[in-house]
Amino acid sequence: ACMLFFRNIFGVSPRHVVLFLLVLLASTALWWLPYDGIRISGDADYYHRVGMHLARGDGYVVDGVPTMFREPGYPAFISLIYKFIGIHPRAVLVAQVILLFITGLLLFHIGLRFIGEKVAIISAVIVLAYPVLNFYSAQIYSEILATFLVTVVVWSYAHAEETTSVYWYILS
């Protein structure tokens, strides 16, 4: 059922899913091993604290003081994870790896539809193995979510062009 989902949504065969998972897992392991513990400082600390307060229902605050220092999207993403799983920063990192995997699948689908299978595979593998993205997936930073959202917009626009559906144009 899971493979059928990937084929229907992303146009990905089971062998591609396995390839992409292996590349992502190897690359993630390579970049996560140096970080045996989560270091939350700087921007990551801000995102973590605001996400924690949002999950608790305190509002968009840092140490009880309302703030507008950063955009609310990434702290809201963190707060959703904390709300459902508990305040566990590692859960944010796991969610980011999942988003990175879906980003690779979306990129594969875009490449497959508009360029060809070889380019689609190479593009997805490069994204999934790209050291910078894997580094950021091991940190509480907004880059993975931002990359995912930009890819979703491009994918939905490509899908709109393909289907000429007004719904997909509005979504993109």
Side-chain angles (χ1 to χ4, degrees), residues 8-165:
N8 289 339
I9 300 297
F10 302 109
V12 182
S13 70
R15 69 185 171 100
H16 290 128
V17 170
V18 170
L19 169 69
F20 298 155
L21 277 174
L22 289 174
V23 168
L24 180 65
L25 290 174
S27 185
T28 299
L30 178 72
W31 286 100
W32 279 35
L33 288 177
Y35 303 100
D36 69 4
I38 297 175
R39 295 179 190 99
I40 301 176
S41 62
D43 290 349
D45 180 54
Y46 175 85
Y47 291 134
H48 166 70
R49 288 189 295 150
V50 173
M52 183 176 59
H53 287 294
L54 283 170
R56 291 179 178 162
D58 301 334
Y60 199 83
V61 298
V62 175
D63 300 328
V65 179
T67 182
M68 291 180 17
F69 184 65
R70 296 236 187 257
E71 68 289 338
Y74 188 64
F77 168 73
I78 292 173
S79 75
L80 287 173
I81 295 166
Y82 287 173
K83 186 81 168 169
F84 292 104
I85 296 177
I87 299 173
H88 303 290
R90 195 167 301 278
V92 175
L93 306 184
V94 170
Q96 290 182 157
V97 169
I98 292 167
L99 288 181
L100 183 56
F101 178 69
I102 296 170
T103 299
L105 293 177
L106 291 170
L107 188 61
F108 173 82
H109 187 259
I110 293 165
L112 187 63
R113 292 288 181 231
F114 295 99
I115 301 169
E117 185 178 19
K118 284 185 181 180
V119 171
I121 292 169
I122 292 168
S123 299
V125 167
I126 287 172
V127 164
L128 295 173
Y130 187 53
V132 174
L133 289 176
N134 279 282
F135 168 79
Y136 280 118
S137 74
Q139 309 294 320
I140 298 181
Y141 290 128
S142 61
E143 280 73 6
I144 296 297
L145 180 62
T147 302
F148 170 74
L149 292 174
V150 167
T151 307
V152 166
V153 168
V154 171
W155 179 81
S156 63
Y157 182 77
H159 195 69
E161 284 290 310
E162 193 173 56
T163 63
T164 65
S165 168

